[in-house]
Amino acid sequence: MTQRTATPALPLGDDALILSHRLGEWAGNAPVLEEEVALANIALDLLGQARVLLSLAGDEDELAYLREERQFRNLQLVEQPNGDFAHTIARQLYFSTYQELLYAHLATGDGELAPLAAKAVKEVAYHRDHAEQWTLRLGDGTDESHTRMQRALDALWRFTGELFEPVEGLDTVPWPALYDRWTARITAILERATLSVPEGPQRGAWTAGGGRQGLHTEPFGRLLAEMQHLHRSHPGATW
Amino acid sequence: MVTPTALEAELLALAGSVPDPELPVLTLAELGVLRGVRLTAPDRVEVRLTPTYTGCPAIEAMSADIERVLHDHGIPEVEVRTVLSPPWTTDAITDEGRRKLTEFGIAPPRPTAPAGGPVAVDLTIRCPHCGSTDTTLLSRFSSTACKALRRCESCREPFDHFKEL
């Protein structure tokens, strides 16, 4: 099986696959039925994107189920555990804002990712809207929800620097401009939600970095074990 | 663009008459997901199909249904290809499709905003049961990726809204 590990479809497909898996972990555990359905729908959109992207890079099943941890190129942000609902919303806010800006840019080009980006950017706009609505409700809600939303935003902040490190093969993306637009959007929504933009480093040797090079955080191994277990135990299993 | 032959037009109409697996009141033609049918050899056709959402699981059932209908019509080899570009939009749903959605209890999508992204939610969405415009959003996501869940404040019935994409 030929795999094109150099294509940018691999890191972007891994982002979608791993976040989809994390969101799927909410099935049966979400705080209200509507959120159960919402998070599963968002996970399904991301899984659809992952299938298209990984198929551009090789065989989707082999890539998802038979790679080792160091071969995955996803951002460390998307592999972070769900935490409480606020952590999941903070992760969704940071990531979907980034993904929407990135896909909107890729959709305007004529690269191999353009058709998928043009299609998916409309779905991701709903994901971002969902995260923003919850950020507003939790931030500008009770003292308890405000405290927990701020805690979640602060905890995941150190994984946001990696979002803007250039991805090999995406040479036309203006990363610093993307970072500025992302920061402006996040700042605006956090201000409306009466929350503070976290302080502290977003990048550097002592913070996040390395998911794109295959360096992952400790919870990722357990995620992979669960995701790959069935396929590895029963090769070729089908429904 | 090559003009389709009479046979291709006939096969397109046949494929288009297949009901949507999730919303069987709609045909694939009314949903606007069929992009074309081309005869690539005397006994071989290629059908181009576009998904509503990238992860829509109905696409596999649609492909199988199209293959069966064309096989039954005497075409031995049918290849259904999924195409993403240009992306499907809810504007592709025909007027007849919209009428049937309402009849089925699903509020049809409004026209999309030209700039892309979700349209403003303050435009009225009419209750498919009683026709009232006094409806509120319960959840942006519902039974399938393409729908939102709303409630009518007049008749108090919940209903699905085919959300704009």
Side-chain angles (χ1 to χ4, degrees):
Chain A
M1 180 68 223
T2 325
Q3 288 182 2
R4 300 167 54 223
T5 46
T7 171
L10 191 65
L12 302 194
D14 284 348
D15 286 348
L17 175 70
I18 300 305
L19 186 56
S20 171
H21 188 84
R22 276 288 184 226
L23 291 173
E25 291 172 0
W26 275 107
N29 299 302
V32 288
L33 185 61
E34 286 79 1
E35 279 314 295
E36 184 91 17
V37 171
L39 295 171
N41 266 305
I42 294 171
L44 181 63
D45 285 346
L46 289 167
L47 188 62
Q49 295 166 19
R51 292 189 62 181
V52 173
L53 288 164
L54 294 184
S55 295
L56 289 171
D59 179 90
E60 54 176 327
D61 285 340
E62 281 186 27
L63 287 168
Y65 295 128
L66 297 176
R67 272 182 300 162
E68 300 294 334
E69 180 175 336
R70 292 289 288 262
Q71 295 172 299
F72 278 82
R73 293 290 178 266
N74 55 281
L75 296 161
Q76 291 183 349
L77 175 66
V78 298
E79 74 202 30
Q80 294 313 305
N82 287 336
D84 63 8
F85 187 66
H87 277 77
T88 289
I89 293 303
R91 194 183 58 201
Q92 284 303 106
L93 180 72
Y94 290 156
F95 182 75
S96 59
T97 304
Y98 157 81
Q99 202 189 23
E100 187 184 12
L101 290 167
L102 179 60
Y103 279 6
H105 175 82
L106 295 175
T108 59
D110 55 3
E112 69 170 346
L113 304 188
L116 180 268
K119 172 95 194 135
V121 72
K122 300 196 291 176
E123 300 162 5
V124 175
Y126 276 103
H127 306 173
R128 195 251 312 142
D129 186 56
H130 171 261
E132 286 187 352
Q133 298 301 322
W134 272 110
T135 301
L136 290 171
R137 282 174 74 179
L138 296 175
D140 198 10
T142 64
D143 287 346
E144 174 73 7
S145 71
H146 179 94
T147 305
R148 288 170 74 162
M149 191 65 212
Q150 188 66 55
R151 191 191 300 155
L153 290 163
D154 292 346
L156 293 170
W157 186 246
R158 68 192 178 94
F159 296 106
T160 55
E162 194 189 3
L163 275 54
F164 305 98
E165 281 169 17
V167 174
E168 198 186 333
L170 297 184
D171 306 327
T172 66
V173 176
W175 297 99
L178 211 67
Y179 173 70
D180 291 343
R181 287 206 289 277
W182 183 88
T183 306
R185 280 197 104 136
I186 296 290
T187 304
I189 195 74
L190 295 191
E191 277 173 6
R192 275 180 64 204
T194 73
L195 293 158
S196 316
V197 177
E199 292 172 6
Q202 287 173 279
R203 60 180 76 226
W206 61 91
T207 62
R212 294 286 189 231
Q213 290 80 44
L215 299 173
H216 296 281
T217 54
E218 194 243 338
F220 188 54
R222 291 197 294 276
L223 179 151
L224 276 194
E226 185 175 301
M227 188 176 83
Q228 298 185 332
H229 168 262
L230 187 88
H231 189 92
R232 285 182 186 266
S233 305
H234 306 278
T238 54
W239 291 103
Chain B
M1 194 71 182
V2 186
T3 318
T5 63
L7 178 59
E8 283 170 339
E10 187 189 338
L11 296 177
L12 179 66
L14 259 177
S17 69
V18 168
D20 177 276
E22 295 268 0
L23 299 164
V25 285
L26 285 193
T27 66
L28 298 188
E30 286 159 353
L31 189 60
V33 292
L34 268 183
R35 287 282 162 83
V37 170
R38 202 161 57 93
L39 219 57
T40 50
D43 53 1
R44 191 165 191 285
V45 293
E46 177 197 88
V47 179
R48 280 173 303 127
L49 184 67
T50 196
T52 54
Y53 280 69
T54 319
C56 184
I59 198 96
E60 286 167 21
M62 288 180 190
S63 302
D65 290 348
I66 291 172
E67 281 174 27
R68 196 175 49 243
V69 141
L70 297 188
H71 282 319
D72 290 351
H73 197 67
I75 306 291
E77 277 188 70
V78 179
E79 187 201 6
V80 182
R81 274 208 313 132
T82 305
V83 292
L84 293 179
S85 190
W88 181 83
T89 142
T90 39
D91 293 338
I93 302 177
T94 64
D95 289 342
E96 177 64 5
R98 282 158 203 273
R99 194 189 61 73
K100 286 184 177 175
L101 277 175
T102 311
E103 219 172 71
F104 194 56
I106 297 170
R110 297 157 294 178
T112 57
V119 294
V121 288
D122 49 6
L123 281 169
T124 349
I125 296 164
R126 202 174 277 278
C127 169
H129 306 298
C130 73
S132 166
T133 53
D134 186 14
T135 66
T136 49
L137 181 70
L138 292 181
S139 171
R140 281 170 171 71
F141 297 89
S142 185
S143 53
T144 64
C146 55
K147 297 190 223 101
L149 187 63
R150 297 185 74 87
R151 179 176 56 211
C152 175
E153 299 299 342
S154 298
C155 71
R156 307 298 293 169
E157 282 291 322
F159 65 90
D160 270 335
H161 165 225
F162 206 123
K163 67 191 176 196
E164 294 73 27
L165 189 75

